[in-house]
Amino acid sequence: MSVQRKHLVKEFNHFITCYVCKGYLIKPTTVTECLHTFCKSCIVQHFEDSNDCPKCGIQVHETNPLEMLRLDNTLEEIIFKLVPGLREREQQQEIEFWKKNRSKENGEDDGPKSKKPRVDEENEQDADQDYHRSDPQIAICLDCLRNNGQMGENIVKGLMKKFIRCSTRVTVGTIKKFLSLKLKLPSSYELDVLCNGEIMGKDHTMEFIYMTRWRLRGENAYPMVLEYRPRIDFG
């Protein structure tokens, strides 16, 4: 029986650390022009002073390099799995950051007299914040796919407004829920979401599909077209 070799996290540091801050990649964000990846905060701050990639020096965009950034959620999950406790530390720091900034905005004192909010109150406050508003956005066309009279498709009509704009972090599962609500599908029906004729997994993000499945990347890349088709769920 073969013995599995254990790997140390430091063996992967070259792939999961940021070139700018030298720490682990937090909200890994890739420059689409050269595919170099940095912490989101690091690369956004860098682009305030320069339009060039900090690693290779290529000009990312003449006027707005932020348009050429894409979040890499898959890499983020890999890093969180490789580095024990990193996700929890980042979440705690984010909570503390927002608590501190809310206190300043409301003119509150951060001293010992301030009442510590309950966990459920923190969650409610965090839910009010639209963290995805600052994410890179993507334009999508949701087109109904007719499939030679397949059972169930007669109840599905195309959307009146089939063009949407959403965060690149939105998953196919969320798109399916959106379509089901808009089309008022019975619970017995499921939807397949396809890109270039290939069924997409429910956990695939729009960024992942655009980077790996959408064939028209470039000047005519937008909007990215996703097709949907109904099927009866016999499960």
Side-chain angles (χ1 to χ4, degrees):
M1 184 176 65
S2 60
V3 179
Q4 290 185 347
R5 180 190 171 193
K6 293 184 178 180
H7 296 272
L8 300 176
V9 174
K10 66 180 181 181
E11 297 179 36
F12 302 96
N13 279 352
H14 176 72
F15 305 101
I16 61 176
T17 53
C18 175
Y19 179 83
V20 177
C21 70
K22 311 304 180 184
Y24 290 119
L25 288 164
I26 302 301
K27 294 186 178 179
T29 301
T30 300
V31 180
T32 58
E33 287 297 292
C34 57
L35 299 182
H36 290 136
T37 303
F38 311 90
C39 297
K40 181 178 179 180
S41 59
C42 290
I43 191 62
V44 169
Q45 186 174 2
H46 171 81
F47 281 157
E48 291 180 358
D49 302 317
S50 172
N51 292 344
D52 300 337
C53 171
K55 187 170 185 179
C56 67
I58 187 175
Q59 186 182 63
V60 176
H61 195 278
E62 291 183 359
T63 57
N64 189 10
L66 295 178
E67 290 184 358
M68 313 306 292
L69 298 180
R70 296 292 183 272
L71 285 170
D72 192 334
N73 297 303
T74 302
L75 179 58
E76 181 180 50
E77 288 301 316
I78 291 173
I79 294 172
F80 282 150
K81 285 179 171 60
L82 283 174
V83 185
L86 182 61
R87 185 198 300 270
E88 291 74 16
R89 289 198 300 271
E90 286 302 315
Q91 289 176 342
Q92 184 60 37
Q93 288 180 8
E94 187 170 359
I95 290 173
E96 292 175 356
F97 171 83
W98 286 111
K99 284 171 56 180
K100 182 178 179 180
N101 281 272
R102 287 194 199 101
S103 298
K104 288 182 178 180
E105 289 176 1
N106 296 331
E108 298 175 0
D109 185 10
D110 289 334
K113 293 183 180 180
S114 59
K115 181 180 178 181
K116 182 178 180 181
R118 301 196 313 270
V119 173
D120 56 346
E121 292 176 343
E122 291 180 1
N123 291 337
E124 290 177 3
Q125 292 172 345
D126 289 339
D128 292 336
Q129 297 291 330
D130 186 1
Y131 295 117
H132 296 292
R133 185 171 297 173
S134 60
D135 288 351
Q137 304 290 299
I138 187 169
I140 302 172
C141 172
L142 297 172
D143 208 0
C144 184
L145 177 65
R146 300 299 176 182
N147 195 22
N148 298 324
Q150 181 176 337
M151 184 180 298
E153 73 171 17
N154 59 331
I155 71 162
V156 177
K157 300 179 180 179
L159 295 172
M160 291 185 62
K161 296 181 179 180
K162 61 182 181 179
F163 295 95
I164 65 172
R165 189 171 180 84
C166 62
S167 165
T168 56
R169 300 182 69 176
V170 167
T171 64
V172 170
T174 302
I175 295 295
K176 286 185 178 183
K177 292 178 182 178
F178 169 78
L179 287 169
S180 295
L181 289 172
K182 285 290 184 181
L183 299 171
K184 299 180 180 179
L185 286 182
S187 58
S188 57
Y189 285 83
E190 268 287 349
L191 285 171
D192 289 328
V193 173
L194 303 88
C195 182
N196 296 320
E198 180 183 353
I199 296 178
M200 299 291 99
K202 66 177 183 178
D203 295 325
H204 287 171
T205 64
M206 297 301 102
E207 177 187 21
F208 176 81
I209 295 173
Y210 175 76
M211 297 296 291
T212 64
R213 297 296 189 274
W214 184 233
R215 296 171 184 166
L216 300 180
R217 291 168 55 195
E219 293 182 0
N220 299 319
Y222 291 99
M224 181 173 72
V225 178
L226 296 181
E227 297 175 310
Y228 58 92
R229 67 185 181 197
R231 59 180 171 84
I232 297 180
D233 185 8
F234 293 100

